[in-house]
Amino acid sequence: MRRKIYEYLELNNKLTDKQHGFRAGRSCLSQFLSHQQRIIEAMEDNQNYDVIYIDVAKAFDKCDHGILVHKWKDIGIAEKIGNWIYNFLKGRKQTIKVNNALSSESKVKSSVPQGTVLAPLLFLILINDIENSATHSDILSFADDTKICSLIGEINDTKNLQNDLCNLFRWAEDNNMEFNPEKFVLLRLGNNEHLKQINYLTPNGAEIRESESAKDLGVTMTENGTFASHIETAVNKAKRIMGQILRTFKSREEKVLMPLFKSLVLPVLEYCSVLTSPYKMEEINKIEEIQRYFTSKIMGMQNLDYWERLRALKLYSLERRRERYTIIYTWKILEELVPNLDTEEIGIQSEQGTRRGRSLKIPPIKARQGTASTLKENSLAVRGPRLFNIMPKHIRNISNAKTEDFKRNLDKYLVTVPDEPGVTGYVRYRRNISNSLLHQKTDKGGETGGPTNAILN
C-alpha cells in the first residue's frame, strides 16, 4: 500500500520538490547540494544569504489525525483508501510503565505509528504544504528537519524573511504543530555586514540566536560557506574511532581490520563527501593520513610504502574515492536518478557531439577571486562536469543502465589511472603536482597513460 500511494504522489507531482526526506533518489546530500548552490549564487551576486534552522517539537507525535484526513483528501487519495488509513490510525491506546507499575490507558489522538512503513509517508503528507507559508523565502525540509532561507540584497529582504517566519508560525498553529523557538539558529552568509544588523524575532518577541556555524543533518555549515570546520571534526572523530579499533582488537589481520575500517571509519570521513570534498592540500592530506596510518598497522604491510599498500590491499586513495563518488553522482543527475541542482543555470546540462560523445557544460564563474569564486570552482556544478568530461567516451556515453553497471565500467577505467596520493610528512617522487584525476596527464579522449594500479574497493 505504501508503494502504491508513494507512486501516485510522485507520478502526479503531489509532493513538494523542497522535501528530500523518505523519497527515492533524494537524500541529505541532494538537499545540501541545492542549498549550497543557492549560497554560492548569492555570494557571486554580492548578496547575503540568511538561513534560519527550525526546530520542530515532537514532530511525528504531533500529527493530528483530523488534519491529516483533510490533507490526503486534498491531494486525491481515494475515499476507500483514506478510510482504510484512518482506521489504521484511530483507536490506538497507550500506557506508561515505571518500574513494574502500569498507568491507566489513554487514547492516542495524534501521531503516526512509528516503526510502520506508512508513518513517514503520512508525515510527508501532513508537512507537504509548509512551503506555502513562505512568499519570499525557500523552506527546505528533510522529513521534520526544516530551514527557511532567503537572499538578502537589501533591508526589505530581511523584512520579507521576518514576515515569512511569522507565517511559518501561523502554519504550525493551524496544523497543531509546535516549534521550539529557543532552539532556532540563524546563520548569515555573505560579506555585506550592514545587512547583518537586523535581528529576526519569534512571535513572542525573542531574538533568534545567531551563530557562526550550525549543525545541519550531520554537516557543519559555517558563515563563510566553507567546510573546513566539518572536515576538522570528521578527521578528529575518525581518529578516535580508529584508535578504539586498534586498542580493542588484538588481531592485525587484513580480514579483521579492513571490514572495521570500512564500516566504522570511512562513513565518518565520506559522509556527504560530494558536497564537503576538500580542495586545500592540507585538508586533503589530513584525511588521507587516516587511511595511510591505519593500513600501516595491518599484518604484512609494515615494510610497504603507502602506494604499495594501496595496491596490495586493492584500495583507492580517499581522494580518488571522493572523485569517483562525484562522477557517479553527476551521472545519476544526467540519468534523472537523483534531482538536478536547483540553480540559475538550470543545473548540470549535457550536450551531445558525434565525435566527442556526451559531455557536460561547465557554468561560468562570475567572481574572479574571493570566497565565492573558490566555492563555485569546487562545487558539484563545476567540479562534477570537469571530472565527467575527462572520462573516456565510452564511459560518458553510458545511459539507460543500472548504476552498478556504470560503476563497474568506471572502475575498469580508474584502475588504469595512477593513484599516488601525497600525505603530510610522506615524500616520494611523483609525476604530478596533485593526485586528482583533473591533474593526471590525459589525451583528448580522456585516456591516461602510466602504470596500472589494481584497485577495486
Side-chain angles (χ1 to χ4, degrees), residues 159-322:
K159 296 177 181 178
N160 289 333
L161 178 54
Q162 179 65 65
N163 289 335
D164 285 345
L165 187 62
C166 293
N167 292 336
L168 188 59
F169 274 93
R170 281 193 286 272
W171 176 90
E173 291 180 4
D174 293 342
N175 288 274
N176 287 340
M177 301 291 283
E178 185 179 347
F179 292 148
N180 286 323
E182 65 276 7
K183 293 184 179 180
F184 285 15
V185 176
L186 167 63
L187 193 63
R188 301 183 194 261
L189 299 104
N191 297 320
N192 298 319
E193 294 300 325
H194 71 283
L195 294 175
K196 299 181 180 182
Q197 307 307 314
I198 307 298
N199 295 317
Y200 297 105
L201 307 176
T202 63
N204 60 10
E207 292 183 6
I208 294 175
R209 178 172 62 90
E210 184 176 348
S211 177
E212 295 179 353
S213 64
K215 200 77 170 180
D216 187 357
L217 298 173
V219 172
T220 303
M221 305 293 290
T222 58
E223 61 181 0
N224 62 8
T226 70
F227 297 101
S229 178
H230 173 81
I231 292 169
E232 186 70 26
T233 300
V235 166
N236 290 336
K237 183 177 180 181
K239 284 181 178 178
R240 290 195 299 270
I241 296 173
M242 180 173 63
Q244 291 170 350
I245 291 172
L246 295 176
R247 288 192 302 270
T248 304
F249 293 86
K250 292 183 178 180
S251 174
R252 292 296 182 260
E253 293 184 52
E254 177 188 345
K255 66 180 180 181
V256 174
L257 290 185
M258 284 313 301
L260 291 167
F261 183 76
K262 291 176 181 178
S263 61
L264 299 177
V265 180
L266 282 183
V268 173
L269 295 173
E270 297 182 339
Y271 175 66
C272 286
S273 63
V274 173
L275 170 79
T276 63
S277 184
Y279 51 86
K280 293 181 179 179
M281 191 57 66
E282 177 186 1
E283 294 173 345
I284 293 172
N285 289 343
K286 275 185 181 180
I287 296 175
E288 200 68 49
E289 177 67 21
I290 302 293
Q291 183 167 269
R292 185 196 72 81
Y293 180 80
F294 192 90
T295 54
S296 71
K297 300 300 179 182
I298 296 174
M299 186 184 299
M301 299 292 123
Q302 291 83 355
N303 296 323
L304 302 179
D305 65 34
Y306 185 38
W307 298 352
E308 291 167 341
R309 292 199 298 274
L310 290 178
R311 286 190 283 270
L313 295 170
K314 296 184 178 179
L315 295 173
Y316 285 124
S317 67
L318 298 186
E319 182 180 15
R320 185 60 50 83
R321 285 174 65 91
R322 292 192 297 273

Side-chain angles (χ1 to χ4, degrees), residues 2 6 10 20-27 30 336-339:
R2 184 208 65 84
Y6 174 79
E10 290 288 4
H20 290 253
F22 307 128
R23 299 176 66 183
R26 293 172 179 262
S27 61
S30 65
E336 299 182 351
L337 299 175
V338 295

Side-chain angles (χ1 to χ4, degrees), residues 392-411:
K393 181 178 178 180
H394 73 276
I395 299 291
R396 289 182 278 109
N397 283 349
I398 294 175
S399 186
N400 298 318
K402 294 180 179 179
T403 303
E404 290 305 314
D405 292 335
F406 179 79
K407 290 180 180 178
R408 185 166 50 252
N409 282 278
L410 177 62
D411 285 327

